[in-house]
Amino acid sequence: MLGFVLTVSAPLAAWAQMGPSGAPAPSPVAAAPSRAAVYSQTLPNGLTVIVKPDRRAPTAVHMLWVRVGSVDEVDGTSGIAHVLEHMMFKGTATLKPGEFSRRVAALGGRENAFTARDYTGYFQQIPSSRLEEVMTLEADRFANMQWPDDEFRKEIEVVKEERRLRTEDNPRALLYEQLAATAFVASPVRRPIVGWMSDLEAMTADDVRAFHRRWYSPSNAAVVVAGDVDPQAVFELARRHYGPIAARPVEPAKPRAEPPQQGPRRLVLRASAEQAYVALAFKTPHLVRMEAGESQRDALALTLLSAVLDGYPGARLERALAQGADRLADSVGAWHGLMGRGPQQFVLDGVPAPGKTAAQLEAALRAEVARVARDGVSAAELERVRTQWTAGAVYKLDSIMNQARELGSAWALGLPLDSSERLLDQLRTVTPEEVQGVARRYFGDDGLTVAELVPLPPDPNRKPRLAPVGARH
């Protein structure tokens, strides 16, 4: 599979109205005439169907989104959402293991899947004339996943090797895994998407089947189709192939709120690496809806602050810390987790330059934020990063895959389908004073976790790993 991903894409759920036949009529969700229309229906069994026509090429993307990810797991079963994603390729009552992928390839398409903290997604990009065939295949495995225990025993070894390759042999990935586990004590974001190795070793085939039964319900899923398609024709296909799947309620997960942090936390990871590295993670607000509110405005201002610091070549952090003969860093960065179904962080990070220490770089990174808190940012700086953000959003939509992904992630996060456009509109209203205000409020010690990578020489006896057989990337 594409495997697990750590970030959510920029977002984009919809409103349906009843047509004269009693079925939901397609509802365009375009915020302005210049924006491409998006149509949505909810089937009687609870499945959401979202369609965005784009006639520029005779292709289409079909995606199935399930609102379940690592944040929905419980202790002892970490990684199970990702394992289930793998097992969804292992057959149904009518398909042998691997046959799904072979059939999509025979249609001239490509397909894969991904697991994130907030959702799991499956996609196929095919000639638009073959849409019904992939919809038939996807609906079948969504409702009728079936495989023997032997297939699970083989695939869990693939997932374990994926963990070794992507996390245990990757010092920075290992650092961020331990940073999350240190920064959060109650929230499920503390667990890795790929899962702890002990949980993977203890996982059973029946654990995965039970997870599928709990979460893979039509009311917890959405089908997104973008490309050279007619919305009414897509809705009819969805009613034909997904409509017969029985409706089942999904029991909501219990809240697992993170208690307030009351002092800085630190971890040191010693691992085989070429360079030292330091990451400073501050707990910050994130978007949970698109309406106005103080915490929502702060989340937007924090996102613009990250762009002022590191949103373009030669931005503030690079100019101050990574340029010149006496530079403190070989590289520096900043990013803000703007959205998600769990708590988010603002991260400053960097690689100390030769002869410089992680402590020096840590102090310098914090000093740059303190400078914004003291002196503010200019309107010109904000305009520059907003212009780049807008251009990136426009260019991104040249891809129908990105269009489908934005719509699916918006639905999964409980946001309106046009939230990408709304987000741009709201970012345009953030003032320099708001950016300066968040720099003053959110970068103290109480919400801070610092992670430092101390490099060790490579193990001369270690043999390089190969990608696990069966992994799809």
Side-chain angles (χ1 to χ4, degrees), residues 67-194:
R67 191 181 281 132
V68 64
S70 63
V71 297
D72 302 292
E73 298 165 351
V74 297
D75 285 344
T77 63
S78 66
I80 197 168
H82 176 230
V83 173
L84 175 55
E85 176 223 307
H86 277 242
M87 297 311 300
M88 287 287 284
F89 289 84
K90 297 304 177 180
T92 70
T94 58
L95 291 179
K96 296 178 180 179
E99 190 174 349
F100 183 102
S101 300
R102 290 192 290 271
R103 290 200 183 186
V104 173
L107 297 173
R110 64 185 184 93
E111 46 78 49
N112 219 313
F114 51 88
T115 305
R117 282 176 169 167
D118 300 301
Y119 44 70
T120 307
Y122 304 85
F123 67 84
Q124 303 86 39
Q125 184 161 7
I126 32 80
S128 51
S129 60
R130 315 314 291 265
L131 175 61
E132 182 168 13
E133 287 144 294
V134 297
M135 194 176 283
T136 303
L137 290 168
E138 192 66 88
D140 178 40
R141 73 171 173 181
F142 177 79
N144 304 309
M145 180 194 73
Q146 182 176 311
W147 30 261
D149 288 2
D150 282 349
E151 284 295 325
F152 169 78
R153 284 190 284 268
K154 289 188 289 186
E155 196 64 23
I156 197 68
E157 295 304 319
V158 172
V159 175
K160 286 157 69 174
E161 190 61 18
E162 186 176 337
R163 179 188 159 78
R164 295 182 188 104
L165 181 69
R166 291 188 170 192
T167 302
E168 295 174 5
D169 291 351
N170 183 330
R172 289 196 194 175
L174 196 59
L175 182 90
Y176 275 100
E177 180 180 84
Q178 294 192 17
L179 190 157
T182 302
F184 299 100
V185 298
S187 171
V189 302
R190 71 186 310 274
R191 291 189 295 269
I193 296 169
V194 70

Side-chain angles (χ1 to χ4, degrees), residues 164-165 168-170 272 458-466:
R164 295 182 188 104
L165 181 69
E168 295 174 5
D169 291 351
N170 183 330
S272 176
D459 180 357
N461 299 316
R462 181 187 172 280
K463 296 180 180 179
R465 293 189 193 278
L466 300 176

Side-chain angles (χ1 to χ4, degrees), residues 288-442:
V288 293
R289 58 187 184 279
M290 295 306 298
E291 293 80 11
E294 182 179 352
S295 65
Q296 308 302 293
R297 297 292 298 181
D298 284 357
L300 295 169
L302 285 160
T303 297
L304 283 176
L305 173 60
S306 71
V308 166
L309 294 172
D310 183 38
Y312 53 92
R316 283 190 175 213
L317 290 183
E318 183 179 336
R319 287 200 314 270
L321 306 179
Q323 293 181 356
D326 194 36
R327 68 186 188 279
L328 274 172
D330 282 351
S331 64
V332 283
W335 54 268
H336 177 234
L338 179 59
M339 341 185 151
R341 291 197 288 129
Q344 301 293 312
Q345 295 175 303
F346 189 110
V347 176
L348 302 166
D349 70 334
V351 173
K356 308 298 183 182
T357 68
Q360 288 175 300
L361 181 53
E362 176 187 338
L365 287 165
R366 297 192 72 175
E368 288 304 307
V369 178
R371 186 157 70 94
V372 174
R374 183 183 65 247
D375 302 332
V377 298
S378 69
E381 280 183 289
L382 290 194
E383 188 58 32
R384 176 172 185 171
V385 298
R386 278 195 284 249
T387 299
Q388 290 194 323
W389 192 309
T390 302
V394 172
Y395 294 144
K396 179 170 56 179
L397 296 184
D398 285 343
S399 160
I400 59 170
M401 179 66 72
N402 283 338
Q403 294 178 47
R405 189 154 186 153
E406 282 204 343
L407 292 165
S409 61
W411 170 85
L413 296 174
L415 298 171
L417 291 180
D418 63 345
S419 56
S420 184
E421 290 91 346
R422 293 194 196 190
L423 177 61
L424 286 172
D425 290 343
Q426 291 188 17
L427 285 170
R428 293 186 185 105
T429 69
V430 175
T431 66
E433 291 75 20
E434 287 177 297
V435 174
Q436 183 178 22
V438 295
R440 289 172 173 169
R441 287 195 295 277
Y442 293 106

